[in-house]
């Protein structure tokens, strides 16, 4: 028989937290509902006049696509109706959205990128939703920024939905990674990959190589090492330009995804709270790693809700080799 995402979350809760009241699974059902609404719109995009720019620019200074706006509204609506949600943070909203909940409810903070890679929609390339869930801090319940600016290690759960040839939801609540494929006949996300593990080394590296002249030297060295077969295998390159699609491939096949600092994005392009942290949590749960060139992504103390970070994410062997390239030359010789 099939196991739906909802059933799976309830089973996990009963196994590990028998005293849980089901609020967490109810919250996650808000995300799966929004994901179904978003995927429905994406599948019909060219028919519904929802392709193209909405005419506004978001807080990142990027042109908002019409589907960005729809996806954001779907998540704000579906999650805002759950009284366990105290604060919502979205890529598309400059400030956190807060809800005035009773003290015994409003336990969670949810951070999301409603439609990542949305510049790819017009050409029918995969896009995704990324989310991250934190517990609201009881000792400073009403300090919005303290609740939102938590380190990635404090995530209760995170996940992404990739709207590709099929729609797949991947999530972790800190006890392994599980993937669910939307079954259009049933109308539910059905368990399709149990306890996903990322291969310890993989066949692909994924980076916007056209920008490589502006990459810091450690990235250039690392890419040169991969190209010259230094890690005992040859690599092929793959770069969709949609983080969720590039990460999903890395999860299943292994390898490494990188978005370094560049001339155009001196602190990296990707956002710590709703892009790097949720995927880093999943990568680590699957046996992979995520770093920014100096430290583990999950250990970074955020200072701004929309802050960016360089990101190197993927299989253990490749990320460890990247870290060796970040060391001074003498240390690299010793480390080999
Ligand atoms: P977005 O949040 O505006 O969609 O931008 C994020 C996207 C990621 O999905 C992807 O990894 C990256 O931008 C690609 O950027 P580039 O085109 O500079 O390679
Ligand atoms: Mg994004």
């Amino acid at each position: 028989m099939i196991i739906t995402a909802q059933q799976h979350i309830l089973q996990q809760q009963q196994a590990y937290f028998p005293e849980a009241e089901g609020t967490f699974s109810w919250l996650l059902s808000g995300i799966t509902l929004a994901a179904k609404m978003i995927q429905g719109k994406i599948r019909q995009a060219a028919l519904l006049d929802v392709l193209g720019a909405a005419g506004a620019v978001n807080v990142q200074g990027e042109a908002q696509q019409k589907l960005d706006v729809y996806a954001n509204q779907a998540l704000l609506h579906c999650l805002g109706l759950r009284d366990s949600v105290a604060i919502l943070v979205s890529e598309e909203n400059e400030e956190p959205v807060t809800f005035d909940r009773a003290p015994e409810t409003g336990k969670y903070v949810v951070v999301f990128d409603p439609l990542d890679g949305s510049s790819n929609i017009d050409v029918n390339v995969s896009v995704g939703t990324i989310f991250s869930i934190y517990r609201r801090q009881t000792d400073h319940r009403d300090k919005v920024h303290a609740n939102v600016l938590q380190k990635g290690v404090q995530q209760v759960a995170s996940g992404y939905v990739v709207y590709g040839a099929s729609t797949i939801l991947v999530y972790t609540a800190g006890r392994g990674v599980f993937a669910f494929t939307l079954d259009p006949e049933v109308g539910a996300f059905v368990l399709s990959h149990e306890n996903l593990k990322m291969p310890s080394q993989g066949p692909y590296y994924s980076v916007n190589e056209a920008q490589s002249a502006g990459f810091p030297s450690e990235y250039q060295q690392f890419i040169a090492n991969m190209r010259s077969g230094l890690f005992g295998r040859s690599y092929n390159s793959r770069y969709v330009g949609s983080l969720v699609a590039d990460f999903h491939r890395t999860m299943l096949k292994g390898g490494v995804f990188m978005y370094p600092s560049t001339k155009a994005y001196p602190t990296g392009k990707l956002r710590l709270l709703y892009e790097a942290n949720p995927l880093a949590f999943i990568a680590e749960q699957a046996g992979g790693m995520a770093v920014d060139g100096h430290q583990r992504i999950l250990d970074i103390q955020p200072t701004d809700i929309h802050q960016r970070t360089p990101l190197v994410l993927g299989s253990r062997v490749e990320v460890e080799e990247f870290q060796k390239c970040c060391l001074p030359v003498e240390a690299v010789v010793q480390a080999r």
Side-chain angles (χ1 to χ4, degrees):
M1 276 309 243
I2 60 166
I3 298 179
T4 67
Q6 190 83 32
Q7 287 168 335
H8 185 264
I9 293 156
L10 281 171
Q11 280 174 2
Q12 293 260 307
Q13 290 232 291
Q14 278 156 10
Y16 297 113
F17 310 101
E19 71 291 353
E21 295 152 359
T23 43
F24 183 62
S25 51
W26 177 232
L27 185 162
L28 276 167
S29 76
I31 295 176
T32 54
L33 176 59
K36 287 184 218 171
M37 292 167 64
I38 296 165
Q39 77 89 34
K41 269 285 193 270
I42 290 171
R43 303 269 172 242
Q44 293 178 290
L47 305 173
L48 296 179
D49 189 29
V50 287
L51 294 177
V57 167
N58 70 10
V59 283
Q60 321 295 330
E62 291 149 357
Q64 270 185 327
Q65 307 291 309
K66 289 178 193 164
L67 275 166
D68 278 330
V69 176
Y70 178 83
N72 193 36
Q73 284 169 351
L75 279 155
L76 290 174
H77 174 73
C78 293
L79 287 168
L81 290 176
R82 303 287 191 266
D83 62 4
S84 56
V85 174
I87 307 171
L88 294 173
V89 174
S90 165
E91 173 174 3
E92 302 298 335
N93 293 94
E94 188 154 7
E95 292 296 330
V97 178
T98 56
F99 299 90
D100 193 14
R101 307 289 194 207
E104 62 280 11
T105 57
K107 286 199 288 193
Y108 295 106
V109 176
V110 188
V111 179
F112 53 85
D113 182 351
L115 203 59
D116 185 66
S118 53
S119 60
N120 279 319
I121 289 175
D122 288 2
V123 290
N124 202 20
V125 165
S126 300
V127 289
T129 295
I130 312 175
F131 64 90
S132 176
I133 302 172
Y134 293 85
R135 223 167 253 113
R136 187 181 185 185
Q137 303 290 293
T138 41
D139 43 348
H140 34 237
R141 293 181 49 85
D142 300 318
K143 293 190 183 140
V144 174
H145 280 85
N147 278 296
V148 165
L149 299 177
Q150 300 189 49
K151 289 184 184 178
V153 280
Q154 289 167 281
Q155 288 171 101
V156 176
S158 75
Y160 63 87
V161 183
V162 55
Y163 308 103
S166 19
T167 299
I168 297 185
L169 163 77
V170 180
Y171 99 102
T172 184
R175 293 177 192 276
V177 181
F178 299 89
F180 302 82
T181 301
L182 184 64
D183 182 337
E185 285 181 9
V186 182
F189 283 99
V190 174
L191 183 63
S192 52
H193 304 68
E194 189 137 13
N195 208 4
L196 260 177
K197 291 289 172 205
M198 194 186 285
S200 60
Q201 189 175 5
Y204 302 121
Y205 70 81
S206 185
V207 67
N208 186 347
E209 215 160 358
Q211 302 293 329
S212 62
F215 291 173
S217 58
E218 59 272 24
Y219 288 85
Q220 298 194 6
Q221 184 61 56
F222 177 54
I223 293 167
N225 290 351
M226 283 190 286
R227 292 173 69 129
S228 58
L230 212 62
F231 310 146
R233 66 167 311 144
S234 65
Y235 286 88
N236 283 310
S237 68
R238 293 284 186 278
Y239 190 71
V240 177
S242 250
L243 176 62
V244 169
D246 281 316
F247 179 68
H248 191 61
R249 182 198 56 250
T250 308
M251 274 293 289
L252 297 177
K253 302 283 185 195
V256 62
F257 170 87
M258 293 165 271
Y259 207 113
S261 56
T262 62
K263 286 205 183 83
Y265 297 102
T267 55
K269 181 181 182 191
L270 300 174
R271 275 50 67 111
L272 176 63
L273 262 67
Y274 40 81
E275 294 178 325
N277 270 337
L279 301 187
F281 189 21
I282 291 177
E284 288 199 5
Q285 283 289 312
M289 294 174 70
V291 299
D292 72 349
H294 301 284
Q295 61 176 326
R296 181 184 176 212
I297 291 288
L298 297 181
D299 284 336
I300 299 173
Q301 174 60 58
T303 52
D304 183 275
I305 64 173
H306 296 294
Q307 86 189 60
R308 298 173 192 265
T309 178
L311 176 64
V312 177
L313 178 66
S315 294
R316 189 180 45 76
V317 168
E318 281 84 0
V319 179
E320 282 177 353
E321 288 294 346
F322 168 73
Q323 285 180 300
K324 289 180 198 164
C325 296
C326 300
L327 299 170
V329 177
E330 323 77 69
V332 177
V333 174
Q334 281 175 8
R336 287 210 182 280

